[in-house]
Amino acid sequence: MSHPAHSTLGQSSYPRLPRSLSAVESWGFGLTAHISWTALVPAIHAALGSQAIFVWIPAVIFGMLLNYQVKRLGMHFINVAGGTPNYATKLLQNYPGLARYAAIGYLLNWVSYLSVNTIVLRDLIKVNLETLGITCPDIFLDISFTLLPFIVAFSGTRALSILHLFFVIPAFGLLMTFCIQGLGWLAFSPVSPGFFPSSWSSLSFVDWAKWFFFVTYATYSCETASSFVADSRNPTQTLRFLDVAAWMMPPIFWGGSWVVMRLATNPNLKDNAFLNLAAASLPFWGRFTGVSVSFLLVAACLLGSATVVSNCPRILYQLALDNHISPVFSVVSRRGVFVPALTLTLVLCLIYLIWGDVARIVAVGNIGWFVSFMLLHLGLWLRRDRPEVLFPRISLAILLLEVVVLLVGGFAWGWLNFLIGLLFPIGVMGIDAMIRRVNFPAFHPDWWMRRYRTRPVVIIKDSVILQVSILIFLLCSAVAVGWLFGVKLNKVATAGGENIFVVLLMSVAFVGVAIACWTSLPQVVAIAEARVAAEHLFTVAQDGILVVDNQGIIRQANPATESFFGVNPSELWGNHLNKWLPALVYYPEQWTKRSEQILIGNGKNRTLEVSISDRPHQDFQEYVVILHDITQRKQAEQILRYSEAQLRQEAKQLVSQLVHSEKMSSLGQLVAGVAHEINNPINFIYGNVGYANQYIQDLLRLLQLYQKNYPNPAKEIQQETEAIDLDFLIADLPNLLTSMTVGAERITEIVLSLRNFSRLDDAEMKAVNIHEGIDNTLMILEHRLKPKSNNLAIEVIKEYSDLPLVECYAGQLNQVFMNLLANAIDALEESLVISHSSFATDKGQIRIHTQLINQKQVVIRIGDNGLGIPEDIQKRLFEPFFTTKPIGKGTGLGLSISYQIITQKHRGKLQCISAPGQGTEFVIVIPLNQQAI
């Protein structure tokens, strides 16, 4: 059974990722891939020797281009978390299946990185512990190093980012020292074997493709900082670090690889990372080689694991926000903890850990990773016309090369690994489909949100006991472990004792932070949040808040007090409060708990409600005074006492308005009734005119036959023929019937216009033809447009646009047209009476213009070329009962009612644009679809 909420994310009720990271903290995550070079270089060096540099060169160039492209994408998608894979989903939004596959393939490679780090650390510690005669089960070490970064991640983002930054800076500095110092030693040392090799071995394309596929594990991942844009307090600065990360790649990947290639030449070193790096650095680091290399390798593993548990949940979070996976993964606590996403990451990591060794995990994880970047480059080419795409042609060229590398290099690592790597993202998509459909509470985001809302913040009132207890425990544990290893080191003479020291040092640091994250750190964070919240309330409060001592001297004041006293809050300190509120006596203990005080300042009296509450503070008293401005309330009370007459007047106006509305409604009913009553007889007349015409034609033909056959009628008939002027009657009778037909048709049109104008069947909103309503109104007013004895004809100019049907109350809108058109006619008639010279032309004109704007709004302009309306009158046009017409001619309600119909009924605008001598124009703006508002 699927959850209804899974189809669409109602994200407005869910908390979003807080912007809690500084730019520097996000930069630290962007250096993880550079340090991971230490684990990759021995393998490719052992396989290719000096030819390895030809793999690193294009891989680094492509990685640098990728960093610049990801930076551009990040600037465009500034609120998108997860970085590269989620940018790929945006580029491939028309192909959601490919987009989802690309993001999950990227994710799985990072998860595999954590499993590889766990195995490497486990082997490193086992080797060093065995030299001390200490054995430790593999399962214990695997679980410990897997859970260690998750423990920190489950407690909050800041602790993990600070821990990561603390170690990544010295580790990166040591790595840069290795590269620069090694290159310098090769170039200038007298005992150097030479900067360049004496010969180059051959390199087949298959080997090149195989190892290019391998090294992209590091060169394509130097854009990790982009994953933290959505929770960075300065996202632009975070993205700018991608430029720095790009230019740090050549000295490390090229320079470091060159040092290893020239100095670690013993074939017995094989692909052992520690031995290769130690052999390469021994000539210039000497006795510090062992501890330095151990620190680099341990830092690469632990920092890589910390980056995985920070990066992967953000990828899942953004995928859920974009509806690519289940919405449960979009849940994030107010401290930035992704519990469901971290849980899935842990499950996938354990699958990798149980399933394979390092070689298999890297091969399988890199398949989805490589395909992910292929799909990213495909998306860049498909969106090549977009401003966020930098190098579309280069992206297409890289894509074509990557296709070849995937087929050649991917198969070189084993067809079974290739197949599993391709299918693994599909398997994860299947897990997501199961989560969407299984009716289990923890798979639904609302379940997590209820837990976050109802779970109280645990704050231990007396945390000193807890802090001291933890400190005692850590100190005793450290002494015990130190004593144990000291005894072992004394018994076993070994030169590698400092290596295990480095491992223990960094492991203990991570464990210590993990313990703090689950014990004392939440208390510290909760206390800090409470302090910040209290300070925030004190700062943003709109009421004035003062803290005074037992002498009434002001010791603290919030910013709001400046609006009360007109001075900076700092200037209040050290002064007695009765300096501004004289009615207060000297000692606060004698003040009334709540009183009203008059504050005189800037020549104005303000009434303040003063509340005071005392609180004990060790051996003296402090008082909190809250000032609330009640001046407006007092003024309102005074106005209310004298507003009864005004309210009565407004009630009368409202009654008149209601009466007018009822009259308009009754008028509509009357018009509809009259139209109906006229319609019946006119239909009878119009229907019989045709038959009458036919009958008369028949009689005329019969009369003509009589005249033909009896040319000499009796004298009496001749006299009657002359008396009635038979020839004229025969000629004029058809014209008479034609005039009757035209008159009947005209009456029918008028009746139809009356029925359409009344619109009694349109009491509800419906889509109608606006032009038809205007035309019907004009037909009713046509008698006023025709020329009269003292007035010229009024010309109506229609500038109709091609409008769709408009949702409106048709009857009420017709009333608006009637009022505006009638006012325009009145204005033109008045102008003609006053003076013809005031017109731009000698002929009155009404211009009606309609227009559709942005496919959302309909604009109707009704203008005349009359004398115009003065500005002082324009301001009162829409007031009820305001009119400039003579008594008995205008009620002053037409424009007021029209304004209410447009603004309230149709949620539109009615505006008057006029100037004396330049005519008047009323502009109606109403939505095309009322339901869309």
Side-chain angles (χ1 to χ4, degrees):
M1 178 179 178
S2 61
H3 298 294
H6 284 186
S7 58
T8 304
L9 266 177
Q11 293 298 339
S12 59
S13 61
Y14 300 151
R16 293 302 181 100
L17 188 61
R19 291 193 177 275
S20 58
L21 297 181
S22 66
V24 176
E25 291 168 6
S26 63
W27 294 353
F29 291 111
L31 296 173
T32 301
H34 299 74
I35 300 175
S36 69
W37 167 87
T38 57
L40 297 181
V41 66
I44 184 174
H45 172 66
L48 300 181
S50 60
Q51 297 296 328
I53 194 66
F54 297 110
V55 177
W56 285 109
I57 289 175
V60 168
I61 293 174
F62 292 170
M64 294 177 69
L65 292 174
L66 178 67
N67 265 37
Y68 280 100
Q69 177 60 78
V70 170
K71 176 188 174 184
R72 174 66 69 89
L73 291 172
M75 291 295 185
H76 187 76
F77 304 114
I78 199 69
N79 293 315
V80 173
T84 303
N86 298 102
Y87 300 155
T89 62
K90 300 292 184 182
L91 296 172
L92 296 170
Q93 59 185 355
N94 295 330
Y95 308 93
L98 289 178
R100 195 178 300 114
Y101 185 95
I104 294 176
Y106 183 102
L107 169 83
L108 288 175
N109 187 66
W110 271 102
V111 175
S112 72
Y113 186 35
L114 194 152
S115 303
V116 170
N117 291 334
T118 298
I119 296 173
V120 171
L121 282 173
R122 177 241 291 166
D123 293 342
L124 183 61
I125 289 180
K126 277 190 65 177
V127 169
N128 285 278
L129 288 179
E130 287 172 357
T131 62
L132 300 177
I134 301 174
T135 60
C136 190
D138 290 356
I139 186 67
F140 174 77
L141 294 175
D142 287 344
I143 293 176
S144 297
F145 283 109
T146 299
L147 294 181
L148 185 58
F150 282 98
I151 293 174
V152 183
F154 270 110
S155 62
T157 302
R158 290 298 311 282
L160 190 63
S161 64
I162 295 171
L163 175 65
H164 186 282
L165 184 65
F166 184 83
F167 284 108
V168 79
I169 293 176
F172 183 77
L174 185 61
L175 181 58
M176 286 294 294
T177 302
F178 168 84
C179 299
I180 296 173
Q181 191 173 357
L183 291 172
W185 191 87
L186 283 172
F188 303 109
S189 175
V191 295
S192 167
F195 197 85
F196 296 100
S198 57
S199 62
W200 298 89
S201 57
S202 61
L203 178 65
S204 68
F205 179 77
V206 173
D207 287 338
W208 182 89
K210 175 181 178 180
W211 289 102
F212 179 87
F213 175 82
F214 179 79
V215 300
T216 55
Y217 193 77
T219 59
Y220 277 6
S221 58
C222 294
E223 34 62 87
T224 314
S226 64
S227 182
F228 303 89
V229 169
D231 51 338
S232 171
R233 292 198 293 267
N234 195 334
T236 304
Q237 288 295 103
T238 295
L239 288 169
R240 285 176 180 169
F241 182 74
L242 294 180
D243 297 342
V244 178
W247 286 101
M248 289 296 102
M249 294 169 66
I252 292 176
F253 294 134
W254 291 346
S257 299
W258 192 266
V259 172
V260 173
M261 177 188 74
R262 297 296 296 131
L263 296 179
T265 56
N266 190 339
N268 295 326
L269 300 177
K270 298 183 180 180
D271 61 350
N272 186 288
F274 179 83
L275 295 179
N276 277 272
L277 291 174
S281 58
L282 184 61
F284 49 87
W285 276 354
R287 64 189 182 90
F288 297 105
T289 298
V291 66
S292 300
V293 172
S294 296
F295 178 75
L296 276 177
L297 292 175
V298 176
C301 293
L302 289 177
L303 295 175
S305 298
T307 303
V308 170
V309 296
S310 301
N311 188 21
C312 292
R314 284 165 173 78
I315 298 173
L316 293 171
Y317 164 81
Q318 190 62 47
L319 287 175
L321 285 185
D322 295 338
N323 292 323
H324 287 295
I325 60 175
S326 171
V328 71
F329 297 111
S330 68
V331 175
V332 56
S333 73
R334 60 189 179 87
R335 291 181 182 172
V337 181
F338 312 82
V339 177
L342 280 169
T343 304
L344 179 61
T345 304
L346 177 59
V347 170
L348 295 174
C349 179
L350 293 175
I351 292 174
Y352 270 125
L353 198 61
I354 296 171
W355 172 70
D357 54 18
V358 172
R360 183 183 297 176
I361 292 174
V362 172
V364 170
N366 219 30
I367 295 293
W369 168 264
F370 205 76
V371 173
S372 174
F373 282 97
M374 288 170 54
L375 293 175
L376 172 68
H377 289 125
L378 175 62
L380 292 172
W381 173 250
L382 294 176
R383 302 288 292 271
R384 56 188 176 274
D385 57 337
R386 302 286 297 175
E388 63 269 22
V389 177
L390 272 180
F391 319 110
R393 296 181 183 275
I394 296 177
S395 297
L396 178 62
I398 295 176
L399 170 63
L400 297 177
L401 177 62
E402 287 171 338
V403 171
V404 177
V405 170
L406 177 66
L407 296 177
V408 176
F411 269 105
W413 288 99
W415 69 268
L416 182 59
N417 292 333
F418 183 83
L419 183 62
I420 295 174
L422 286 178
L423 295 179
F424 202 0
I426 299 176
V428 175
M429 292 163 66
I431 294 174
D432 171 65
M434 180 195 70
I435 292 174
R436 288 174 180 263
R437 288 171 173 77
V438 174
N439 189 14
F440 181 63
F443 292 166
H444 196 282
D446 290 337
W447 185 81
W448 292 98
M449 297 312 304
R450 285 194 297 271
R451 284 178 60 84
Y452 288 146
R453 283 194 293 265
T454 58
R455 194 180 213 175
V457 178
V458 179
I459 302 177
I460 300 177
K461 294 183 178 179
D462 189 2
S463 62
V464 175
I465 296 176
L466 177 64
Q467 308 296 329
V468 173
S469 300
I470 293 172
L471 181 61
I472 293 172
F473 171 77
L474 290 177
L475 288 175
C476 293
S477 300
V479 171
V481 172
W483 176 81
L484 174 63
F485 278 90
V487 172
K488 293 291 184 180
L489 288 172
N490 287 331
K491 290 182 179 180
V492 180
T494 175
E498 67 274 12
N499 299 342
I500 191 66
F501 169 75
V502 171
V503 176
L504 287 174
L505 178 66
M506 294 194 65
S507 300
V508 167
F510 270 75
V511 171
V513 173
I515 293 173
C517 287
W518 287 88
T519 53
S520 59
L521 188 59
Q523 309 302 320
V524 175
V525 172
I527 293 171
E529 289 177 348
R531 177 181 57 80
V532 171
E535 291 177 352
H536 177 72
L537 290 175
F538 184 78
T539 303
V540 303
Q542 294 183 353
D543 287 342
I545 302 177
L546 301 169
V547 178
V548 301
D549 61 15
N550 57 354
Q551 300 294 322
I553 304 300
I554 300 173
R555 298 302 180 189
Q556 281 184 280
N558 72 331
T561 55
E562 185 172 359
S563 64
F564 288 87
F565 301 110
V567 297
N568 190 284
S570 61
E571 298 179 22
L572 298 174
W573 300 347
N575 293 291
H576 199 285
L577 185 56
N578 64 10
K579 179 178 179 180
W580 289 273
L581 302 176
L584 294 177
V585 295
Y586 193 78
Y587 294 105
E589 61 185 13
Q590 301 176 9
W591 295 351
T592 306
K593 294 299 180 183
R594 179 167 295 181
S595 62
E596 295 181 2
Q597 304 290 332
I598 302 298
L599 175 66
I600 301 176
N602 299 326
K604 297 181 180 179
N605 293 346
R606 300 174 67 183
T607 305
L608 302 183
E609 183 181 67
V610 180
S611 303
I612 178 173
S613 61
D614 62 327
R615 59 183 177 89
H617 191 277
Q618 296 181 2
D619 57 347
F620 61 92
Q621 291 273 339
E622 279 188 346
Y623 300 85
V624 177
V625 181
I626 300 177
L627 308 176
H628 181 63
D629 191 348
I630 58 173
T631 305
Q632 292 184 352
R633 189 180 77 188
K634 287 295 184 180
Q635 292 175 350
E637 291 175 355
Q638 184 177 5
I639 291 173
L640 286 174
R641 286 193 293 266
Y642 297 101
S643 63
E644 184 178 356
Q646 182 180 357
L647 290 175
R648 286 202 189 99
Q649 182 64 26
E650 291 178 355
K652 290 180 180 180
Q653 293 179 359
L654 181 59
V655 169
S656 300
Q657 185 174 344
L658 293 174
V659 169
H660 176 77
S661 299
E662 184 63 27
K663 286 181 178 180
M664 293 301 292
S665 177
S666 301
L667 176 61
Q669 295 177 2
L670 176 63
V671 169
V674 170
H676 178 72
E677 293 301 325
I678 295 175
N679 193 51
N680 289 332
I682 199 60
N683 284 340
F684 174 77
I685 295 171
Y686 185 74
N688 287 304
V689 166
Y691 294 109
N693 186 37
Q694 181 179 350
Y695 297 157
I696 290 172
Q697 293 295 334
D698 293 341
L699 290 174
L700 290 176
R701 283 195 301 272
L702 180 61
L703 180 59
Q704 289 172 354
L705 289 175
Y706 270 103
Q707 289 177 335
K708 180 179 179 181
N709 292 304
Y710 301 99
N712 298 313
K715 185 176 181 181
E716 184 179 358
I717 293 175
Q718 291 180 357
Q719 292 176 350
E720 186 63 25
T721 298
E722 293 175 356
I724 65 174
D725 196 357
L726 181 61
D727 292 336
F728 173 78
L729 188 149
I730 292 172
D732 192 54
L733 188 56
N735 296 332
L736 178 62
L737 290 172
T738 300
S739 298
M740 292 174 63
T741 303
V742 172
E745 290 176 348
R746 178 62 179 159
I747 295 174
T748 302
E749 291 176 358
I750 294 174
V751 168
L752 180 60
S753 297
L754 290 173
R755 289 173 60 87
N756 289 336
F757 177 79
S758 65
R759 293 278 188 177
L760 285 181
D761 56 338
D762 288 351
E764 296 182 356
M765 183 177 295
K766 61 172 62 176
V768 299
N769 187 336
I770 290 291
H771 296 154
E772 182 181 325
I774 298 174
D775 291 340
N776 291 331
T777 306
L778 288 172
M779 181 171 289
I780 295 172
L781 295 171
E782 187 173 358
H783 67 286
R784 298 193 60 189
L785 302 173
K786 295 179 179 179
K788 298 179 182 178
S789 58
N790 58 341
N791 288 339
L792 297 175
I794 297 176
E795 179 185 7
V796 177
I797 302 173
K798 300 177 183 179
E799 298 174 348
Y800 290 170
S801 300
D802 187 11
L803 296 182
L805 298 182
V806 180
E807 287 186 357
C808 63
Y809 295 99
Q812 297 183 17
L813 202 57
N814 286 344
Q815 292 179 18
V816 174
F817 297 152
M818 175 65 77
N819 288 330
L820 297 182
L821 289 170
N823 284 347
I825 294 172
D826 291 342
L828 291 174
E829 290 178 348
E830 180 182 356
S831 300
L832 286 168
V833 170
I834 294 175
S835 173
H836 286 287
S837 61
S838 63
F839 280 84
T841 64
D842 293 333
K843 189 174 185 179
Q845 290 182 347
I846 296 177
R847 187 179 300 273
I848 305 174
H849 177 83
T850 62
Q851 184 181 2
L852 180 63
I853 300 178
N854 298 329
Q855 300 298 317
K856 293 182 179 179
Q857 292 182 319
V858 175
V859 178
I860 304 147
R861 299 176 180 269
I862 300 176
D864 62 67
N865 62 343
L867 291 176
I869 303 174
E871 184 176 356
D872 57 335
I873 295 179
Q874 289 184 44
K875 297 177 181 178
R876 303 186 60 191
L877 277 180
F878 302 118
E879 292 182 10
F881 303 104
F882 176 77
T883 180
T884 58
K885 297 178 181 179
I887 297 175
K889 189 173 182 181
T891 63
L893 290 174
L895 288 178
S896 174
I897 296 297
S898 298
Y899 186 81
Q900 292 181 10
I901 290 173
I902 296 300
T903 58
Q904 297 179 13
K905 289 288 187 178
H906 294 85
R907 289 178 284 187
K909 298 178 182 177
L910 177 58
Q911 181 184 6
C912 176
I913 302 174
S914 182
Q918 298 181 11
T920 303
E921 182 181 59
F922 283 90
V923 182
I924 302 171
V925 182
I926 59 174
L928 180 63
N929 298 306
Q930 294 286 331
Q931 302 299 328
I933 299 179

